[in-house]
Amino acid sequence: MTRITITGGRPLHGRVQAAGAKNAALPILASTLLGGGECHIANLPQVRDVATMNTLLSLLGASVKQEGTGVVIKADSVQSLEAPYDLVKTMRASVLVLGPLLARFGEAVVSLPGGCAIGPRPVNLHLDGFKKLGATIELEHGYIRAYASKLQGQRIDLEMPTVTGTENLMMAACLANGTTIINNAAMEPEIEDLANFLNARGAKVSGAGTSHIVVEGVSQLHEAEYRVMPDRIETGTFLIAGMVTGGDVEVSQCIPGHLDPLISKLRESGAEVHETSDSIRVKAPAKVQALDVQTCPYPGFPTDLQAQMMAMMCVAEGTSVITENVFEGRFLHVPELQRMGASITVDGARAVVKGVPQLTGAQVMASDLRASAGLILAGLAAEGETQINRVYHLDRGYERIEDKLQSLGAIVHREPASA
Ligand code: UD1
């Protein structure tokens, strides 16, 4: 167990490079199970969730070899069709192997993801979609068992635009008989990235990135080389870090268009923003202004930047409002921010944040991945020392975060929690 200690109050200045996107890497890695041959996947972020997915693929029988910051995966045969509880409990996205295994081998067994710190996160829409494609689904002993001799293309109308649900069904449909249409599909850029990889392997997916995806089934997928897109959430986190500390931060090798909702909110709060085709630079104003932010599925403001934005609002001038529309109960960072002197009241899905002149360092506890990022940003802005415990949440999704923050001038280091 380690913790991160930050001595706050220093404006961050400089440039960092965006890592590959965790939420694109995970479905792309899972989709290697759809066929044989060597898949070379580059620009993987060096984060724990990616390592967990690679472990899961190895456990299923795929060969996974490191290649620089990427991997070479060969899934010509698999020895197991089961994603066990011990892995799934550490990463819900393990459920992404369900679609590929079911479509290619006619069977898959995946532990139910179960409870999660950011509210109930069911997978009912994934399962309803698989049933629509002709699968039999049984839930027993905490596991999902799915069977289908051959999936059949169908029209699926998603009740809600679930991101991993859209990905799971899109992957499964690649090997189904006939055409599958996914309506009300999630439109996140990571879904388009997955579709590009699938198409590079010979799949016929169109419309990914819109709410209407059409997949024409093919008999098999072949090998391919692919480079994972940049991480828009990591990019946004560093830009907000610049804002919260009154600094000037540039993120290179990113895709600015993926961050439009954040950029317009940062401008509204007084930031000076410069964009090129692959970089964003944000200069903080003398005083960040309060904002009204509502999280929504893409292209709305991402829920995965909500905690970071709240940290900024804590020190903004005026009263801000955040409405969390995607995940019920995703405010676990609030009590921790309050321990640092923030003035926040929560009423259901709405948090009202009254800006204070200064946060003060404290010992806080990370509850989930993005909440941890919010606490890091609050610590960077706070006067004095902040200790963030349970940083393993952070390591699931941020690559070398202390190194990158140090390169921007932050005083931050990691130490054993017992020290
Ligand atoms: C993905 C992202 C996560 C991000 C989230 C929303 C990955 C690996 N994770 O998570 O970082 O915060 O999108 O942008 O890409 N829902 C149901 N039934 C289902 C599935 C979802 O009711 O079967 C609900 C959820 O409870 C939630 C909403 O749909 O309220 C959106 O969840 P979803 O898009 O599925 O999130 P994830 O794919 O788990």
Side-chain angles (χ1 to χ4, degrees):
M1 291 277 263
T2 55
R3 68 180 174 207
I4 282 183
T5 302
I6 300 173
T7 306
R10 287 166 71 97
L12 300 192
H13 287 277
R15 179 165 54 182
V16 287
Q17 190 180 312
K22 169 182 88 72
N23 285 355
L26 296 177
I28 286 172
L29 290 169
S31 78
T32 60
L33 293 168
L34 280 166
E38 280 194 348
C39 288
H40 293 249
I41 301 163
N43 200 33
L44 290 175
Q46 307 302 298
V47 299
R48 214 179 63 237
D49 274 6
V50 164
T52 304
M53 184 57 86
N54 285 336
T55 303
L56 176 55
L57 295 176
S58 305
L59 208 71
L60 296 171
S63 129
V64 181
K65 289 198 183 117
Q66 283 300 134
E67 187 181 55
T69 63
V71 286
V72 184
I73 298 181
K74 222 164 161 264
D76 286 84
S77 58
V78 303
Q79 283 132 27
S80 160
L81 296 171
E82 179 171 322
Y85 174 70
D86 283 348
L87 273 184
V88 180
K89 74 171 191 225
T90 66
M91 185 183 71
R92 298 187 84 261
S94 308
V95 77
L96 285 165
V97 300
L98 187 54
L101 289 178
L102 174 64
R104 181 159 166 227
F105 302 102
E107 192 182 340
V109 182
V110 175
S111 170
L112 271 166
C116 162
I118 49 175
R121 288 175 78 177
V123 288
N124 57 312
L125 301 176
H126 304 224
L127 304 187
D128 290 349
F130 291 131
K131 282 187 204 158
K132 208 78 202 285
L133 297 177
T136 302
I137 307 281
E138 291 165 2
L139 299 182
E140 54 185 38
H141 307 299
Y143 278 77
I144 305 162
R145 290 178 186 274
Y147 310 89
S149 49
K150 184 76 183 169
L151 295 175
Q152 301 297 325
Q154 264 293 349
R155 175 180 148 165
I156 300 169
D157 297 313
L158 287 175
E159 241 170 70
M160 212 183 273
T162 156
V163 176
T164 47
T166 300
E167 292 164 346
N168 231 339
L169 296 169
M170 190 168 88
M171 291 187 281
C174 286
L175 296 183
N177 276 335
T179 304
T180 298
I181 294 173
I182 308 173
N183 284 320
N184 197 27
M187 300 193 279
E188 271 67 6
E190 291 78 10
I191 296 172
E192 210 178 335
D193 210 41
L194 169 64
N196 291 340
F197 174 62
L198 294 170
N199 287 340
R201 297 190 76 191
K204 292 193 174 154
V205 181
S206 57
T210 75
S211 62
H212 181 82
I213 297 177
V214 180
V215 186
E216 269 180 65
V218 296
S219 57
Q220 58 179 17
L221 297 188
H222 51 70
E223 59 189 30
E225 288 184 11
Y226 197 73
R227 187 177 168 80
V228 172
M229 63 176 257
D231 198 312
R232 63 194 168 97
I233 304 302
E234 189 210 24
T235 299
T237 301
F238 281 108
L239 296 176
I240 304 172
M243 284 292 280
V244 80
T245 59
D248 178 355
V249 168
E250 180 176 354
V251 181
S252 64
Q253 296 191 28
C254 64
I255 300 180
H258 289 168
L259 284 134
D260 283 348
L262 172 70
I263 290 171
S264 68
K265 283 295 167 191
L266 294 183
R267 284 204 166 106
E268 200 184 314
S269 68
E272 199 185 305
V273 183
H274 299 274
E275 292 174 49
T276 68
S277 59
D278 68 350
S279 72
I280 310 172
R281 178 174 173 188
V282 170
K283 282 192 204 177
K287 192 71 200 163
V288 171
Q289 298 302 304
L291 285 174
D292 187 345
V293 169
Q294 302 221 13
T295 67
C296 286
Y298 193 84
F301 191 93
T303 175
D304 284 352
L305 287 174
Q306 182 253 108
Q308 301 87 317
M309 207 57 172
M310 188 181 283
M312 185 180 102
M313 290 169 170
C314 289
V315 291
E317 196 161 79
T319 300
S320 301
V321 180
I322 294 191
T323 312
E324 173 54 62
N325 290 315
V326 180
F327 287 115
E328 209 182 296
R330 198 176 199 178
F331 282 137
L332 292 175
H333 40 286
V334 168
E336 304 301 306
L337 291 170
Q338 285 165 335
R339 301 188 68 252
M340 300 177 71
S343 168
I344 307 168
T345 40
V346 174
D347 180 13
R350 205 161 160 265
V352 178
V353 187
K354 230 170 112 187
V356 294
Q358 180 77 67
L359 292 175
T360 50
Q363 290 199 36
V364 292
M365 194 77 85
S367 55
D368 68 64
L369 168 56
R370 306 303 171 184
S372 330
L375 296 177
I376 293 261
L377 301 201
L380 291 168
E383 178 240 317
E385 197 173 270
T386 295
Q387 286 174 356
I388 301 166
N389 294 290
R390 297 203 181 148
V391 291
Y392 53 85
H393 290 294
L394 199 69
D395 297 333
R396 286 189 38 218
Y398 287 92
E399 175 182 287
R400 297 185 300 103
I401 190 160
E402 311 95 276
D403 295 354
K404 287 187 174 181
L405 288 172
Q406 279 164 6
S407 77
L408 296 172
I411 303 180
V412 48
H413 59 272
R414 186 180 289 246
E415 58 192 18
S418 53

